[in-house]
Amino acid sequence: RSTQSRSSAASDVYKRQGNNLSDHRINEIFAEVKKNSLSSDSKNLDPNDFEQALSYLSKKNVELSLHVLGINYSTLLVLFTSLAILLLLLLMFVYFGITAFSLGGSFGACVNSAIAAVAGLGTRQVEPLKEEEILNKEDVEQTVR
């Protein structure tokens, strides 16, 4: 009887927070929290136990979410490490590019001029819409309305 009242009270609290937990999950949380608890009362949670229960619940939610996505901690660590290395390489590339072309002289001036010319050509490639395409766009907008 006390387990059911404990489960229903805890279930009500977790439902108010947006977590719909089964009795089994609530008993698992109580067992995990009371295993490390200093209080002698095994039926109720004190504020410290409640904080531990919430942190355990959020940890379990993260683990289950990662499991559903097919990601484990080692995959996450490898992904994070490789992205950090990629970011470092990108920053090194930018730094060495800036230092290479910031030197004075004719070569640096030619390279800087070429970069500006290529950037200008890249922006010129975009052609404006033709008059018949603009009319078709207006027809589509009127049809959609």
Side-chain angles (χ1 to χ4, degrees), residues 9-43:
S11 178
D12 290 341
V13 170
Y14 290 125
K15 280 182 184 177
R16 287 183 194 143
Q17 294 177 347
N19 297 316
N20 192 8
L21 301 174
S22 65
D23 289 339
H24 173 72
R25 181 67 66 185
I26 291 172
N27 288 334
E28 175 188 342
I29 293 169
F30 266 86
E32 183 67 29
V33 169
K34 288 300 182 179
K35 174 173 67 173
N36 301 326
S37 177
L38 298 175
S39 66
S40 61
D41 186 13
S42 64
K43 295 179 182 179

Side-chain angles (χ1 to χ4, degrees), residues 83-97:
L83 288 176
I85 290 171
L86 185 65
L87 178 65
L88 182 66
L89 289 174
L90 180 68
L91 291 174
M92 286 174 47
F93 175 77
V94 169
Y95 174 74
F96 287 133

Side-chain angles (χ1 to χ4, degrees), residues 87-142:
L87 178 65
L88 182 66
L89 289 174
L90 180 68
L91 291 174
M92 286 174 47
F93 175 77
V94 169
Y95 174 74
F96 287 133
I98 289 172
T99 57
F101 298 123
S102 65
L103 299 174
S106 59
F107 178 72
C110 290
V111 169
N112 287 333
S113 298
I115 290 173
V118 169
L121 290 174
T123 58
R124 193 186 69 138
Q125 293 295 328
V126 178
E127 296 179 12
L129 292 176
K130 297 178 184 170
E131 186 175 327
E132 54 196 35
E133 290 175 347
I134 292 173
L135 292 176
N136 287 340
K137 182 179 177 184
E138 290 174 358
D139 292 338
V140 169
E141 287 176 354
Q142 288 177 358

Side-chain angles (χ1 to χ4, degrees), residues 45-115:
L45 293 177
D46 62 3
N48 291 333
D49 292 342
F50 187 73
E51 287 180 23
Q52 288 178 356
L54 285 180
S55 67
Y56 177 78
L57 183 63
S58 62
K59 180 181 173 184
K60 276 293 193 184
N61 284 340
V62 168
E63 289 175 359
L64 290 173
S65 298
L66 288 175
H67 179 70
V68 167
L69 293 173
I71 301 172
N72 55 18
Y73 285 115
S74 61
T75 306
L76 206 57
L77 184 63
V78 168
L79 184 65
F80 176 75
T81 305
S82 60
L83 288 176
I85 290 171
L86 185 65
L87 178 65
L88 182 66
L89 289 174
L90 180 68
L91 291 174
M92 286 174 47
F93 175 77
V94 169
Y95 174 74
F96 287 133
I98 289 172
T99 57
F101 298 123
S102 65
L103 299 174
S106 59
F107 178 72
C110 290
V111 169
N112 287 333
S113 298
I115 290 173

